[in-house]
């Protein structure tokens, strides 16, 4: 990739709403992405390889468990700092942010919230340092938007449980050391199960030929009579609400992350439009391109405000699932639209790996699908305002 010249747009001087700690955390992540992610990410995406070399750096900037208490190795930060870290990482690449989201909100969060003290001590410090990597298995081949229909199951065998079933589309599955897997017990109640690499009957083949999120590794989780020690069950919450609670935290991070991808596309397109001469003047001086750029900065600014407010509510434990859905849906849609418009501003150059836009655009096709599709989030808002579920 050519030099990373990113300058973050802040049209409404929203930095004034951030504390000194927020700015420190955000700037450290921003500098790290410029230094360690931008130079390598295009090649990683082209080769469809997750760049494992950045794992220790992710841990150092606090991206693994930003809000997990320091006694468990986390960074002990607030929810706005968490969001800002996700924003900066996704400014680099959604796939890298995916790894941080999964590790923090889908693996560390359930162990912290639903696990016992022994499980917290065993896993959290190593997950925070990147010594262990995790994944989260909820989606199945026949149950995506409707995870409550899952068929993966555990059977009580007295001394241990027997786990059978399969999960699909799982970020980081091919190399994860520990998988947080959701499975039904004999009573049909959903339980969280900690599956470790090396357990007999457990495999995690990689999913190939993705056009999206190429710098993130995706795979299946296959369980064929896997013996699960009883101490590997998360004891403190069960039912569908347990995995959905993790999703609230991850979707919140994605709402911030999508702003990062949008900011990168806008900033790239603005710079290009000012430099690119056609018909003897910069294309930035044409009304059509100004319309695109003006609408982009308007939408980014609205998303920044929405998300900052959500962060305040989240810090006060007042953010609802439906508010988080609205922000995830709005911001990812905003980002994918901006990526498409920015790509057009770059003309043919926009389709090359010289610029980050096409990669962001393709990545966002996954982001708009995972953690609840664009449609599902609309239905969550619909249900919240009408009181009537339109899912079933
Ligand atoms: P429903 O009847 O509404 O709810 C079942 C139970 O769950 C409770 N609940 C929640 N609890 C905590 N947090 C939430 N956000 C909750 N939402 C609901 C609810 O109160 C109820 O509790 P109880 O005690 O009465 O049983 O469930 P439903 O079956 O009608 O489904 C609702 C729906 C469609 C919204 C839900 O299934 C859904 O969100 N579907 C989307 C699935 C999804 O988002 N999958 C994501 C998989 S993980 C992923 O994509 C990771 S990508 C990672 C990366 O790379 O970044
Ligand atoms: P489906 O549920 O089959 O939906 C297909 C279409 O139907 C969608 O447009 C949907 O909006 C629509 N639809 C579904 N139900 C309704 C309804 N009631 N009303 C109207 N429209 C509806 N999952 C994990 O568990 N862990 C992970 O780490 C993970 N990582 C992922 C990484 C990538 C790159 C991708 C692409 C996915 C990942 N997922 C993961 C899976 C993701 O969460 C699911 O793909 C998503 O929840 C949608 O499920 P589905 O693909 O089966 O689509």
């Amino acid at each position: 990739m050519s030099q990373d010249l990113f300058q973050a747009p802040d049209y409404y001087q929203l930095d004034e709403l951030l504390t000194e700690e927020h700015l420190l955390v955000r700037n450290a992540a921003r500098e790290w992405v410029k230094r360690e992610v931008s130079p390598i990410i295009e090649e990683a995406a082209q080769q469809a390889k997750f760049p494992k070399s950045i794992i220790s750096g992710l841990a150092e900037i606090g991206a693994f468990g930003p809000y997990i208490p320091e006694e468990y190795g986390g960074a002990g930060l607030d929810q706005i700092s968490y969001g800002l870290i996700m924003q900066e990482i996704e400014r680099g690449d959604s796939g890298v942010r995916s790894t941080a989201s999964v590790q923090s909100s889908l693996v560390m969060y359930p162990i912290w919230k639903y696990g016992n003290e022994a499980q917290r001590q065993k896993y959290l410090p190593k997950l925070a340092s990147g010594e262990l990597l995790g994944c989260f298995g909820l989606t199945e081949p026949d149950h995506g938007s409707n995870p409550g229909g899952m068929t993966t199951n555990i059977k009580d065998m007295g001394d241990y449980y027997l786990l059978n079933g399969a999960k699909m589309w799982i970020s980081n599955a091919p190399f994860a050391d520990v998988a947080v897997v959701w499975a039904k017990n004999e009573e049909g109640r959903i339980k969280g199960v900690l599956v470790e690499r090396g357990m007999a009957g457990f495999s995690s083949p990689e999913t190939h030929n993705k056009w999206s999120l190429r710098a993130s590794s995706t795979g299946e989780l296959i369980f064929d009579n896997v013996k699960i020690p009883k101490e590997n069950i998360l004891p403190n919450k069960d039912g569908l609400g347990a995995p959905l609670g993790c999703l609230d935290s991850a979707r919140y991070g994605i709402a911030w992350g999508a702003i990062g991808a949008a900011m990168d596309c806008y900033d790239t397109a603005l710079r290009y439009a000012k430099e690119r001469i056609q018909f003897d003047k910069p294309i930035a001086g044409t009304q059509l391109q100004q319309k695109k750029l003006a609408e982009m900065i308007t939408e980014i600014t609205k998303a920044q405000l929405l998300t900052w407010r959500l962060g305040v509510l989240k810090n006060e434990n007042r953010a609802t699932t439906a508010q988080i859905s609205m922000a995830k849906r709005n911001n990812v849609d905003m980002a994918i639209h901006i990526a498409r418009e920015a790509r057009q501003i770059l003309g043919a150059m926009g389709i090359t790996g010289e610029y980050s836009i096409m990669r962001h655009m393709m990545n966002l096709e996954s982001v708009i699908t995972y953690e609840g599709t664009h449609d599902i989030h609309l239905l969550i808002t619909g249900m919240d305002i009408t009181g009537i579920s339109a899912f079933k």
Side-chain angles (χ1 to χ4, degrees):
M1 187 194 165
S2 50
Q3 208 192 341
D4 182 349
L5 301 169
F6 177 67
Q7 288 188 336
D10 183 13
Y11 202 71
Y12 264 41
Q13 292 154 31
L14 296 176
D15 273 9
E16 291 174 12
L17 297 174
L18 303 177
T19 64
E20 222 166 277
E21 181 173 78
H22 294 151
L23 291 171
L24 264 171
V25 166
R26 199 265 322 266
N27 294 345
R30 184 169 291 172
E31 286 310 310
W32 179 78
V33 167
K34 257 196 185 182
R35 208 174 53 242
E36 305 291 338
V37 178
S38 298
I40 57 133
I41 197 64
E42 181 61 32
E43 194 182 337
Q46 294 279 358
Q47 293 181 355
K49 282 208 173 97
F50 172 69
K52 283 194 180 168
S53 60
I54 63 173
I55 285 171
S56 58
L58 279 167
E60 275 161 29
I61 62 163
F64 292 160
Y67 54 83
I68 301 287
E70 285 170 287
E71 60 177 306
Y72 299 118
L77 297 167
D78 76 350
Q79 291 292 320
I80 292 183
S81 289
Y82 161 44
L84 288 165
I85 294 173
M86 296 301 122
Q87 171 187 286
E88 295 307 315
I89 298 176
E90 191 145 3
R91 207 280 296 174
D93 190 80
S94 304
V96 179
R97 197 269 307 133
S98 257
T99 292
S101 293
V102 170
Q103 185 89 342
S104 300
S105 289
L106 300 182
V107 179
M108 296 177 75
Y109 178 89
I111 294 173
W112 174 45
K113 283 285 178 188
Y114 315 147
N116 57 32
E117 196 51 31
Q119 291 166 338
R120 289 185 200 123
Q121 297 291 349
K122 179 176 177 189
Y123 296 104
L124 291 179
K126 288 184 178 166
L127 288 161
S129 68
E131 192 183 329
L132 290 181
L133 285 175
C135 70
F136 176 89
L138 180 64
T139 305
E140 299 187 350
D142 293 331
H143 301 95
S145 297
N146 177 25
M150 70 174 67
T151 58
T152 296
N153 62 87
I154 47 170
K155 205 168 162 188
D156 193 339
M157 305 301 283
D159 292 346
Y160 58 89
Y161 287 99
L162 215 46
L163 174 66
N164 278 290
K167 301 287 176 178
M168 198 176 177
W169 300 114
I170 308 304
S171 300
N172 295 353
F175 54 74
D177 304 287
V178 55
V180 173
V181 174
W182 301 95
K184 281 184 179 161
N185 66 13
E186 285 110 320
E187 289 81 47
R189 194 81 186 147
I190 293 170
K191 306 285 283 185
V193 183
L194 298 168
V195 182
E196 293 179 10
R197 181 156 306 279
M199 286 180 168
F202 168 43
S203 58
S204 57
E206 184 155 6
T207 302
H208 295 288
N209 298 330
K210 291 180 299 165
W211 284 113
S212 174
L213 232 63
R214 288 172 62 80
S216 160
S217 181
T218 315
E220 294 167 60
L221 300 173
I222 298 169
F223 314 109
D224 179 11
N225 285 320
V226 184
K227 274 188 178 178
I228 305 289
K230 289 221 152 156
E231 65 263 24
N232 282 32
I233 302 294
L234 296 175
N236 295 334
K237 188 159 169 86
D238 52 21
L240 188 57
L244 292 180
C246 307
L247 294 183
D248 273 358
S249 179
R251 290 166 177 172
Y252 166 79
I254 291 174
W256 283 90
I259 297 175
M263 290 199 304
D264 197 49
C265 293
Y266 163 76
D267 177 62
T268 304
L270 177 62
R271 192 172 310 105
Y272 187 89
K274 288 201 275 192
E275 287 169 2
R276 176 69 176 165
I277 309 290
Q278 287 295 291
F279 300 97
D280 303 322
K281 68 171 190 180
I283 58 169
T286 65
Q287 288 189 354
L288 281 175
Q289 305 319 316
Q290 285 193 5
K291 176 174 188 289
K292 293 191 185 90
L293 291 164
E295 285 175 353
M296 284 182 202
I297 191 64
T298 307
E299 290 308 313
I300 288 172
T301 305
K302 282 153 67 179
Q304 286 171 329
L305 275 163
L306 178 81
T307 312
W308 175 81
R309 175 64 186 154
L310 185 65
V312 171
L313 291 173
K314 197 124 194 339
N315 274 341
E316 295 169 358
N317 272 326
R318 291 197 292 141
T320 66
T321 291
Q323 285 168 337
I324 294 169
S325 272
M326 180 184 282
K328 191 268 185 187
R329 181 175 187 273
N330 179 77
N331 292 8
V332 178
D333 191 52
M334 171 280 296
I336 208 167
H337 186 70
I338 285 178
R340 287 171 186 152
E341 294 285 276
R343 218 278 320 137
Q344 291 205 53
I345 290 178
L346 267 70
M349 286 310 293
I351 70 154
T352 72
E354 281 296 300
Y355 295 89
S356 53
I357 295 175
M358 189 83 178
R359 178 166 45 78
H360 282 307
M361 193 173 109
M362 295 194 300
N363 283 342
L364 288 162
E365 292 292 345
S366 287
V367 182
I368 205 165
T369 295
Y370 66 34
E371 303 265 6
T373 66
H374 191 62
D375 297 331
I376 289 296
H377 288 297
L378 178 129
L379 295 177
I380 290 174
T381 306
M383 181 167 71
D384 194 49
I385 57 176
T386 64
I388 305 166
S389 167
F391 295 111
K392 295 166 190 164

